[in-house]
Amino acid sequence: MILEGIVTTTNDDGSVHIAPMGPIVDEGISRLRLRPYQTSTTLKNLVRSRQGVFHVTDDVELLARAAVGRLETLPRLIPGSRRDIWVLADACRWFAFEVREIDLSEPRACLIAEVVERGVLRDFLGFNRAKHAVVEAAILATRVNFLPAETITAEMRRLAVLVEKTAGPAEDRAFAFLEDFLRHALDDQRENAADPEFHPSRPGASSAP
């Protein structure tokens, strides 16, 4: 199954990179199959270091901002027992992993990783419909360069109903942030479409994760 969460990796300069990711996991979460885009920072870091941490979290605000690379400040991090491993302090569960196999033959790379350490930091609050809606909206935001504007607008209207009915303050803020991001991104696309030298990005061209 695909389990949505957040991956932390370490950049060349030692800083921490945070990106949402939905790896395919087994029932015991002992192995991960990650599929980052070839242009992503996450892939670059994993190819170099061969290690990272996958987090299960109900913090949809962090997920929303990480999805589009708009984290003004990093969340609190805890150093792991291994060098260059960082754990999100407010995650529910975390799984440190080592990459065993890398396939770069497709636009989305395929990495097979083995979980080598794990921990529990707090109870999982749970996902209501609004939290699910924010996750779906975040996925739309990462695909804004190659999904039709009409599709994105229609999906956001549908998701907005779920948020209005079931959201708490955090979900409201996260969804409003994504609405604003998508509004500006689509406006920019409309302006660029009038430019004869403008060429839309190919699927998978986003490098944010």
Side-chain angles (χ1 to χ4, degrees), residues 40-208:
S40 70
T41 300
T42 297
L43 177 62
K44 176 184 175 182
N45 290 343
L46 290 177
V47 168
R48 186 191 70 256
S49 71
R50 301 289 181 119
Q51 63 180 3
V53 183
F54 174 69
H55 303 79
V56 175
T57 180
D58 48 25
D59 185 348
V60 292
E61 284 192 274
L62 175 60
L63 191 149
R65 291 186 173 276
V68 296
R70 296 287 179 87
L71 283 174
E72 286 86 4
T73 58
L74 287 176
R76 190 163 67 90
L77 298 161
I78 302 170
S81 61
R82 297 162 180 261
R83 182 182 178 188
D84 292 334
I85 286 290
W86 293 92
V87 174
L88 296 173
D90 193 44
C92 301
R93 291 182 290 160
W94 58 271
F95 303 85
F97 61 84
E98 293 182 353
V99 176
R100 305 302 191 200
E101 302 174 30
I102 299 177
D103 181 354
L104 302 177
S105 62
E106 301 290 337
R108 292 184 68 170
C110 179
L111 287 71
I112 305 299
E114 179 182 348
V115 173
V116 294
E117 192 175 356
R118 63 182 67 205
V120 178
L121 297 175
R122 64 176 176 86
D123 289 338
F124 182 73
L125 177 62
F127 267 60
N128 64 2
R129 297 175 77 191
K131 287 184 183 289
H132 281 293
V134 172
V135 172
E136 292 300 322
I139 292 170
L140 287 174
T142 65
R143 299 175 180 175
V144 67
N145 287 332
F146 55 90
L147 281 179
E150 297 79 10
T151 298
I152 292 175
T153 301
E155 275 296 291
M156 288 298 288
R157 284 176 181 158
R158 181 184 69 83
L159 295 171
V161 175
L162 302 179
V163 173
E164 182 178 355
K165 287 182 178 180
T166 65
E171 294 76 39
D172 275 330
R173 289 191 300 266
F175 195 76
F177 164 77
L178 291 169
E179 283 183 314
D180 185 66
F181 172 85
L182 284 166
R183 186 181 304 113
H184 284 89
L186 293 176
D187 285 346
D188 288 345
Q189 281 191 6
R190 293 185 188 100
E191 291 179 8
N192 289 331
D195 184 346
E197 296 184 0
F198 172 69
H199 300 285
S201 299
R202 301 184 311 277
S206 172
S207 61

